[in-house]
Amino acid sequence: MTTTTSPSSPPLRAGVIGLGWAGQQHVNAYAAAPGVELVALAAKEEELLASIGDAHGVAGRFTDWQQMLAEADLDVVSIATPTFLHSPMTVAALEAGLHVLCEKPMAENATAAARMVAAAESAGRVLDIAFNHRQRGDVAALRSVVESGVLGKIYYAKAGWLRRQGIPGLGTWFTRADSAGGGAMMDIGVHMLDMALHLMGEPTVTAASASTHAEFGPLGRGGSGFGISTVEEGVPFEVEDLATAFLRLDGGGTLLLESSWAQWIPYDQCYVALYGSDGGASVEWGGSAQEPYQRLHVWTEVAGVPAELQPAVGPHGQHAASVTQFLAKVRSGDAAAHTGAQALARARVLDACYASAASGAEVPVG
């Protein structure tokens, strides 16, 4: 398999499994990446295989992902399928000698995620998880502020993603516990958990105290369409549509995390707020379709005078940046440094949150 960086090296041969919205972002990114040939696609939807394959000139089209792994002669593959398929597909791809970029959440639970990391370590291949919102320009700018030391010691943070009405696939795999692993916290809360810990410098979460609620989904309300959604007959709503968590961090810090698919608020909201010994900061975005907003604030003092800083914000990288970073990790030749261990730590936090919500007590992480 091609992993070197020599100018004379053949291009990396890429494939994508799953052609929903996220999978299509991976397809576009590989198609535009230098030194990459997009050679294979796998999906059950034959019309998507045809249209996307035609649009990018991809000859390898498979309705069986295992056949694609066996026949397409790939170097790298993206997996953008329902959550419960992430672990078996990733393990199979790694065992076939491929480097893997998998969509978030890593897996339906930490046990399945741990199998992925073990497979990456055994195969000596890169395993990366696509947390695309970490690639936002304002998040990168705030990370630079934190690294500069302006905020001092960060001892407290709050993060959340709240939707007014946005349960995805109400009545589908998204709302079944065995296939999704969880609801709003697993789907979008994990983005904010990843973002907050990334901004804070990767503190270890030691314990979780959480609560979950399901007030919209069981009634067929809160779907991403307008009004009452059609619920598949016999498919119950088994996950939460709102979750909150109090997370203890090593060194005594704390992080509050909230996520909702549906809630009585005026518009969708995303935010991370950091509180340090020498300054505070927040990044937030959301709003209505008519009045969206993006804000980045940094508060500190200069020579004893309160000051608000305005960091320069670059473009949002999103999935394309996730793919670019993954390819750089593959080309580095240092697979041992990129085994998915950080994403596994996120999965263990989520497991602790759900265990805490079920027991009504604080639960140690891991």
Side-chain angles (χ1 to χ4, degrees):
M1 300 299 173
T2 304
T3 58
T4 61
T5 57
S6 168
S8 61
S9 297
L12 292 171
R13 292 170 58 85
V16 176
I17 303 175
L19 295 178
W21 182 85
Q24 292 176 37
Q25 309 313 304
H26 289 253
V27 167
N28 294 338
Y30 285 126
V36 175
E37 285 185 5
L38 179 62
V39 298
L41 306 173
K44 290 184 176 181
E45 304 87 354
E46 293 186 17
E47 67 280 5
L48 282 177
L49 277 175
S51 62
I52 296 173
D54 288 348
H56 293 284
V58 180
R61 306 175 191 182
F62 301 85
T63 55
D64 182 335
W65 64 271
Q66 292 170 308
Q67 183 184 6
M68 186 185 90
L69 296 184
E71 298 180 5
D73 189 24
L74 300 172
D75 299 304
V76 299
V77 64
S78 279
I79 295 173
T81 57
T83 303
F84 71 101
L85 296 174
H86 288 180
S87 184
M89 288 181 170
T90 294
V91 170
L94 291 165
E95 290 178 346
L98 310 186
H99 303 278
V100 177
L101 176 60
C102 182
E103 266 299 313
K104 66 84 217 167
M106 187 174 190
E108 69 272 25
N109 55 52
T111 300
R115 288 195 290 267
M116 298 163 70
V117 172
E121 293 173 342
S122 178
R125 292 294 184 265
V126 170
L127 170 59
D128 204 7
I129 307 301
F131 285 109
N132 58 294
H133 283 283
R134 188 196 284 201
Q135 311 298 337
R136 293 178 58 91
D138 43 15
V139 172
L142 183 50
R143 178 63 188 149
S144 295
V145 169
V146 173
E147 291 176 335
S148 75
V150 167
L151 304 185
K153 175 187 176 183
I154 299 175
Y155 56 91
Y156 176 49
K158 297 188 293 186
W161 185 333
L162 308 176
R163 287 180 178 166
R164 167 64 183 85
Q165 181 170 314
I167 300 176
L170 185 57
T172 68
W173 70 267
F174 270 106
T175 60
R176 296 198 297 267
D178 60 347
S179 55
M185 180 173 288
M186 180 70 73
D187 179 39
I188 56 178
V190 69
H191 271 303
M192 310 315 292
L193 172 66
D194 174 75
M195 202 179 304
L197 295 177
H198 171 66
L199 287 170
M200 297 176 78
E202 297 299 333
T204 298
V205 182
T206 60
S209 181
S211 180
T212 59
H213 305 270
E215 301 296 333
F216 287 75
L219 301 177
R221 304 176 68 184
S224 53
F226 179 79
I228 305 298
S229 297
T230 300
V231 180
E232 243 177 74
E233 185 176 353
V235 180
F237 188 92
E238 299 174 330
V239 296
E240 84 284 355
D241 47 40
L242 184 146
T244 61
F246 173 86
L247 305 178
R248 296 188 186 276
L249 311 176
D250 60 345
T254 53
L255 167 61
L256 296 185
L257 178 67
E258 61 176 348
S259 53
S260 71
W261 276 338
Q263 190 175 352
W264 289 117
I265 52 177
Y267 44 72
D268 292 5
Q269 308 167 26
C270 296
Y271 68 91
V272 179
L274 307 176
Y275 302 87
S277 56
D278 298 323
S282 69
V283 57
E284 53 187 313
W285 65 93
S288 66
Q290 296 73 31
E291 297 184 30
Y293 63 85
Q294 298 181 48
R295 302 168 185 147
L296 173 60
H297 297 288
V298 179
W299 300 277
T300 183
E301 64 177 22
V302 177
V305 179
E308 181 171 348
L309 309 182
Q310 294 294 325
V313 175
H316 297 331
Q318 301 296 337
H319 280 90
S322 294
V323 169
T324 297
Q325 289 184 5
F326 165 62
L327 294 171
K329 292 172 184 178
V330 170
R331 290 176 171 131
S332 74
D334 188 12
H338 309 292
T339 63
Q342 189 178 88
L344 172 57
R346 309 304 197 233
R348 287 176 171 148
V349 173
L350 294 183
D351 272 11
C353 288
Y354 285 119
S356 172
S359 67
E362 185 169 272
V363 171
V365 173

